[in-house]
Amino acid sequence: MATTPESSDTAKAADYQWLTPKDICTQLQIPEQTFYQWRVRHLGPRAYRIGRHLRISRTDYDSWLSSRLDI
């Protein structure tokens, strides 16, 4: 009997997806310098230092982006 992955497994996998600053800048079509200026001013999405690399979780990015949408 074959089992199919549940949607909750897919949601959990999305929680653990990490983006780089370059990924975010590409999606938003902004220069990387803008991202780093936002970071200094605490205006951008929450970022984590993993080793010497800066990463942003997909969940934090999506939350930050939805809070910035004009309704």
Side-chain angles (χ1 to χ4, degrees):
M1 180 175 173
T3 60
T4 57
E6 300 200 17
S7 61
S8 64
D9 292 340
T10 306
K12 288 179 186 177
D15 288 343
Y16 297 110
Q17 184 179 9
W18 294 101
L19 302 170
T20 65
K22 189 171 188 166
D23 294 335
I24 290 176
C25 293
T26 300
Q27 288 181 21
L28 297 176
Q29 298 178 355
I30 60 171
E32 283 187 57
Q33 186 62 34
T34 300
F35 174 84
Y36 289 107
Q37 288 174 357
W38 287 350
R39 180 167 161 71
V40 169
R41 296 180 182 149
H42 304 284
L43 299 174
R46 182 177 177 156
Y48 302 88
R49 180 128 341 248
I50 301 174
R52 63 182 190 138
H53 303 283
L54 196 61
R55 296 292 183 259
I56 300 91
S57 78
R58 168 61 79 177
T59 325
D60 287 343
Y61 172 68
D62 290 341
S63 298
W64 173 81
L65 192 59
S66 65
S67 71
R68 292 335 184 244
L69 293 176
D70 290 334
I71 297 176

